[in-house]
Amino acid sequence: MKGERILLAHGAGGKLSHDLLRELFLPFFNNDILRVLDDSAIIPTEPSKLAFTTDSYVVKPLSFPGGDIGRLAICGTVNDLAMAGARPLGLSASFILEEGFSIEDLEKVLSSMREAAEEAGVMVVAGDTKVVEHGAAEGLYITTTGIGVVPEGVDIRGSKARSGDWIIINGPIGDHEIAVLIARGDFSLQGETKSDCAPLNGLVEAMLKACPDIHCMRDPTRGGLATVLWEIANASGVGVVIEEEKVLIREEVRVVCDLLGFDPYYLANEGKLIAFVPEEETEGLLRMMKAHRLGKGAVVIGRVTAENPGKVLLRTRIGGHRLLDPLSDEQFPRIC
Amino acid sequence: MNPRKRADEGKLAPILLREISGLADPPLRFMEVCGTHTMSIFCSGIRSLLPEGIELISGPGCPVCVTPAGEIDRAIALSQLDGVTLVTFGDLMWVPGSSTSFHQEKAMGGDIRVVLSPLDAVEIAQEEHGRKVIFFAVGFETTSPAIAVAVKEARRRGLVNFYLLSSQRLIPPAMRALLSTGRVRIDGFILPGHVSVIIGRGPYLFIAREFGLPGVITGFEALDILEGIYMLLRQRREGRAEIEIQYRRAVKEEGNQRALEVMGEVFEPVDARWRGLGLIPESGLILREEFAGMDASRAFVIPCEDKADPPGCLCGEILQGLKSPPDCPLFGKRCTPEDPVGPCMVSSEGSCAAYYKYGGGQ
């Protein structure tokens, strides 16, 4: 299908729709469950708790250093499942395509989705495509939905943080948003920053083996580290204190933030997780995380307190304090 | 700042804070004039570390905060004209005019774009030659040279669709106006680093000579600000009132002569209205006659009138250091970053937004 373009008819449900499905989509997500092409995928499972999540991806540009919309769509949903401690059973992927979108570019996205799905050990077992008129969308939007099994004994929730818990993150913050920002080219910025976009379920599985009693886990995507910490502090009715000198921020990310007046604590990440764990389990968990490819940068960044419930305080490098509130809106570059 | 220097912050800050405590003779009120200082003071938690009785108050140094709503209204009105692309800096997007903001207008289909550099506006004009591209220039001496360069570049390229709506302001006249009212009690100034890179030390000398107050031109890192406060305290202890430079790595005594030249070539001073401070003589910049063809305020009929600032909003008094954000009856209630009434809440460098976001620095 090289050189071809998406036509409105590709979404009309007729032959072209079927051709697109069989010739383009199926080869990328070929598996026994999807191949039958029934209206619903039937997934064998054991009696257990199921985790279920959905998310839509509308990133611009579609491709950026370290990933693209396809990788993001797989990792994002896998990570949402993983943050509940769930082992993903299968994903659905729904595509909204703009008329005129190149089939070759779509293939690249599908290939990247396949790669990410293999990395995560998950199958895309259901899907849908719709085509909208030229100008009604920006190329391609993807919605992925995921279903997973929560292993016996695992109970990770945002309301379970307890005073005395330690807070761990698996590496530096802000790489994804800065990589996308640079790739967008709006501000004539240049740089080498790569998105951290990665499926975290493998890391989480290993973490749960080392410490089944992880209290809370979140991936700090949109809204960044500050917003997810605030969400957990509020859901659990506890205070959180973070040490500025422990939170890693790559120099290039920091420079772009300084230039634009952005606060790195509010930048989106796509391959980071924070975990709230009992103090006595922290050391063993950290050791295990550092042995995993995606946990090498694991570090304790703060702790949970009984004081200041619902508030997140950042202890600055000079010993002062400031509040970290949730992001109220998108960050805009400042004047000077 | 390089990583090594950041690591030094934790070691050096306690030393400076000890020195500050030793010299402090409270109560003292130091005003930081620049919005970036305001942000940096809150972000580093400096307020929570200073000895009791040393108060840092925010002055009229956020360009967004001091722009009257009427000027925002005029820019929005221009963006609503057929065939117009309005280009501006990101800070402006959420600033409320008297009834709407750029952000809302963009959502309604207005062609409003954010740039980091004024030269990007020239590029847009070149690419979109069928449209009239208006750059809404808000800012102080820090950005004026770059805006002047953009104007000259548009002229060099022969663009006939590039316009400037100038809402630029000058810091020293505002400081003179502030001090001349005699209403504000200030014991010294943390003077703006970025503005001073352009204008140097000279334009502030009147503060010491005529008003007997010390000032220190200060950088933006936490250690810079602590050192600036230390230098102010030392002047007071020694009975001096001088304008000193802490930010020597960026600020030269005479400023940046090339930048000043290009500013002078393209712009001339004009009386300008400041939110909260009223009309201040020769405190704004307009395009010189030679560039009048690019002046959006002359080239377009702008269908809107000046309106009063929103009722109940104390931004004006806050900008003069007469009131503190929590003194405003709207603060945190009717006026929040999600739904701001006054510009001090909307601008990322505004003192109300900083108070709201960072909990008053406590």
Side-chain angles (χ1 to χ4, degrees), chain A residues 46-117:
Chain A
E46 63 262 53
S48 188
K49 282 188 288 184
L50 285 181
F52 183 47
T53 185
T54 189
D55 216 334
S56 296
Y57 298 85
V58 294
V59 64
K60 194 166 83 173
L62 294 175
S63 168
F64 44 83
D68 63 8
I69 189 171
R71 182 169 176 80
L72 207 55
I74 298 290
C75 295
T77 292
V78 163
N79 291 350
D80 282 346
L81 290 173
M83 292 309 114
R87 181 168 50 81
L89 290 175
L91 304 184
S92 76
S94 179
F95 298 80
I96 293 181
L97 293 151
E98 185 188 10
E99 178 186 21
F101 190 69
S102 113
I103 299 274
E104 200 179 337
D105 287 345
L106 181 55
E107 268 187 283
K108 280 186 197 151
V109 170
L110 294 173
S111 166
S112 159
M113 286 178 83
R114 176 172 60 190
E115 199 177 289

Side-chain angles (χ1 to χ4, degrees), chain A residues 291-308:
Chain A
H292 191 281
R293 183 176 65 88
L294 297 173
K296 282 193 170 62
V299 63
V300 172
I301 54 168
R303 64 196 160 80
V304 177
T305 64
E307 300 91 58
N308 302 311

Side-chain angles (χ1 to χ4, degrees), chain B residues 76-90:
Chain B
I76 287 174
L78 281 175
S79 78
Q80 291 166 332
L81 298 177
D82 278 347
V84 163
T85 296
L86 193 109
V87 182
T88 192
F89 293 123

Side-chain angles (χ1 to χ4, degrees), chain A residues 83-156:
Chain A
M83 292 309 114
R87 181 168 50 81
L89 290 175
L91 304 184
S92 76
S94 179
F95 298 80
I96 293 181
L97 293 151
E98 185 188 10
E99 178 186 21
F101 190 69
S102 113
I103 299 274
E104 200 179 337
D105 287 345
L106 181 55
E107 268 187 283
K108 280 186 197 151
V109 170
L110 294 173
S111 166
S112 159
M113 286 178 83
R114 176 172 60 190
E115 199 177 289
E118 278 170 7
E119 216 175 306
V122 65
M123 294 183 294
V124 176
V125 295
D128 181 44
T129 56
K130 293 283 183 295
V131 178
V132 295
E133 281 182 59
H134 185 77
E138 291 208 48
L140 166 66
Y141 305 141
I142 303 176
T143 298
T144 44
T145 300
I147 193 162
V149 173
V150 183
E152 197 71 29
V154 171
D155 183 19
I156 298 172

Side-chain angles (χ1 to χ4, degrees), chain B residues 5 12 62 164 171 209 219 224 243 361-362:
Chain B
K5 191 161 175 213
L12 296 177
C62 161
L164 189 78
I171 283 285
R209 284 183 190 151
D224 290 330
I243 304 302
Q362 298 307 311

Side-chain angles (χ1 to χ4, degrees), chain A residues 241-279:
Chain A
V241 180
I242 296 297
E243 303 288 332
E244 185 178 30
E245 62 183 339
K246 300 284 184 199
V247 180
L248 293 174
I249 301 164
R250 286 185 212 281
E251 197 50 26
E252 188 174 297
V253 170
R254 197 182 290 277
V255 167
V256 174
C257 283
D258 284 351
L259 187 68
L260 300 180
F262 285 2
D263 189 337
Y265 294 92
Y266 294 94
L267 295 177
N269 311 276
E270 290 294 342
K272 292 294 164 321
L273 60 80
I274 52 165
F276 286 58
V277 287
E279 184 180 352

Side-chain angles (χ1 to χ4, degrees), chain A residues 156-221:
Chain A
I156 298 172
R157 278 177 286 142
S159 58
K160 280 189 66 189
R162 294 291 170 263
S163 173
D165 281 357
W166 288 60
I167 304 163
I168 297 175
I169 191 164
N170 63 325
I173 58 169
D175 293 358
H176 173 72
E177 185 155 343
I178 295 302
V180 171
L181 192 82
I182 291 172
R184 203 174 287 159
D186 285 350
F187 302 119
S188 314
L189 296 169
Q190 288 179 336
E192 307 285 316
T193 305
K194 276 189 183 166
S195 167
D196 57 351
C197 188
L200 295 168
N201 55 321
L203 175 64
V204 170
E205 218 168 295
M207 287 170 70
L208 283 170
K209 260 188 208 146
C211 174
D213 190 26
I214 292 174
H215 289 165
C216 318
M217 240 180 337
R218 281 283 162 88
D219 54 341
T221 53

